[in-house]
Every structure is written in structure tokens, then in C-alpha cells.
Amino acid sequence: MDADKHFVRNTTIGTGQAVKSIRKDLELLGLLSESLSDASITTIAEMITSSGSTKVLATGAYVAPGAVLAHNVQGLGYNVSLSDGSTTSMINDVRLLQPGDCLLTFSIWKTSSSIVPLCELAKERGVRLIVIADQHSQLAELADQLVLVPSEGVGPMASVTCAVSVAQSIVGAIANVDTQHSAAMLEELQTMWSRTQAVISD
């Protein structure tokens, strides 16, 4: 559905819109909790931790879950980075991936036209593809690992809440792949935060 039609269908007059939005997201999270596979999330975590490099391709609102995933997994000591720039910069990022590396992207509501051919190129080069999607789209069909999430919110755009939740689930699973490694990396990160005063604790 186009953005304007989605807006007309989901717009209501009166108070309580914020609460309705939150309740809808809670409903979506309930659906996700019933359908999400622990085995799938564990497999994705193992794919990322065993690869030399993982790129997260994200555009628009889905830069948010992409940033959550990339930033937090970097904190755990793995080479995961967000690619959210121009198509030409995304091409450069995909070109640097090697066979066995991972590419993770989103196919929710609307998918940028450049993402599908970039994923096709990556697959041709032996890169493993992880897709978080809200339906069995063309991109979802290319995936080596697929996570389906509900996304229909009450506002003018699709909800990103479940995609963020899945990103956090993947981070948690990655932390548990090698707990000693995770603990060491987080201790090192805390030391660097303290020395640079990048983070100030209350």
C-alpha cells in the first residue's frame, strides 16, 4: 500500500492515538513471540560470528534496527558494520565481502530498488544472505536465513518495533555463542570508554 493510502486507512480522529500505537506494537510483539524461532536466531548468530565480515544494508526507517544490530555486535568484538549511504557506497561495501561472509538486510513494506540486485550480486559471490522481512518477497526468497516479522502499525508508516526486537535478539544470541569472548570484549570496551571518557556513568 502507498504511504498516502496507508495514512488515510490508519488515521483516526480524536484522542488516544499514542496509546493505540503502543497497544498495536504490543500486539505485534505478541505475534512475533509466537512465531520467532530460537533455532533460526541461533543459526544467524553462528553465521555472523563465523564470518570474517558482515554488512548490514539498510535504508529509510530500517537504518534504526540496522544500527542497533551493527553497533552492539561491534561491541562484542565482531566485524559487523552498517551500510546506509548512497547506492555507490553500498556497492563498494558489498564488493569487499568475501565468500562465506554475511549480508543482512530488510524487506519490510517498501524495499529500495538497489537492495535486491545488490543481494543477488552478493549471493553470486558466495556471500550468505540474512533477510528480516514482513512477507515472502523477492528478497525473502533469496535469503539463506529468513526472519518474518509483523509490521502493520496504526500510523502512516510500517512499524519498526518488531525489527528492532529481532535485532536485539540476534545481539543476545551472538553474545552467547562464546561467552568468554563476549565478556573479554565488553571488559575491553568498558576500559576504552573510561580512558577516553566517551561514556560518563552517573
Side-chain angles (χ1 to χ4, degrees), residues 93-115:
D93 287 336
V94 170
R95 285 182 64 226
L96 293 174
L97 292 172
Q98 301 297 313
D101 285 344
C102 291
L103 181 64
L104 185 149
T105 193
F106 303 88
S107 177
I108 297 176
W109 191 37
K110 303 287 187 180
T111 302
S112 296
S113 59
S114 58
I115 298 294

Side-chain angles (χ1 to χ4, degrees), residues 10-187:
N10 289 289
T11 298
T12 58
I13 298 172
T15 60
Q17 186 70 9
V19 173
K20 289 177 183 176
S21 179
I22 292 169
R23 286 176 178 165
K24 182 63 177 180
D25 276 345
L26 287 171
E27 178 188 332
L28 298 181
L29 287 168
L31 293 171
L32 177 64
S33 69
E34 294 173 0
S35 63
L36 189 63
S37 164
D38 279 337
S40 178
I41 297 298
T42 298
T43 298
I44 291 169
E46 291 171 348
M47 288 170 65
I48 292 173
T49 56
S50 65
S51 69
S53 177
T54 297
K55 294 292 182 184
V56 180
L57 291 188
T59 59
Y62 289 88
V63 170
V68 167
L69 180 63
H71 177 77
N72 289 324
V73 177
Q74 284 175 5
L76 295 169
Y78 297 99
N79 184 13
V80 178
S81 57
L82 176 65
S83 180
D84 64 340
S86 65
T87 299
T88 51
S89 66
M90 286 184 173
I91 290 170
N92 284 336
D93 287 336
V94 170
R95 285 182 64 226
L96 293 174
L97 292 172
Q98 301 297 313
D101 285 344
C102 291
L103 181 64
L104 185 149
T105 193
F106 303 88
S107 177
I108 297 176
W109 191 37
K110 303 287 187 180
T111 302
S112 296
S113 59
S114 58
I115 298 294
V116 173
L118 280 172
C119 290
E120 290 173 338
L121 287 166
K123 292 269 291 184
E124 290 168 10
R125 298 163 70 92
V127 174
R128 296 174 293 174
L129 179 63
I130 302 161
V131 176
I132 298 172
D134 63 353
Q135 59 182 319
H136 285 280
S137 62
Q138 179 184 357
L139 194 53
E141 296 301 323
L142 288 173
D144 295 294
Q145 283 294 316
L146 171 66
V147 179
L148 289 173
V149 298
S151 67
E152 186 174 354
V154 299
M157 305 294 180
S159 172
V160 301
T161 300
C162 288
V164 171
S165 185
V166 166
Q168 291 174 317
S169 296
I170 294 170
V171 172
I174 287 172
N176 287 324
V177 169
D178 184 342
T179 55
Q180 289 185 332
H181 171 83
S182 296
M185 289 296 100
L186 291 171
E187 182 178 355

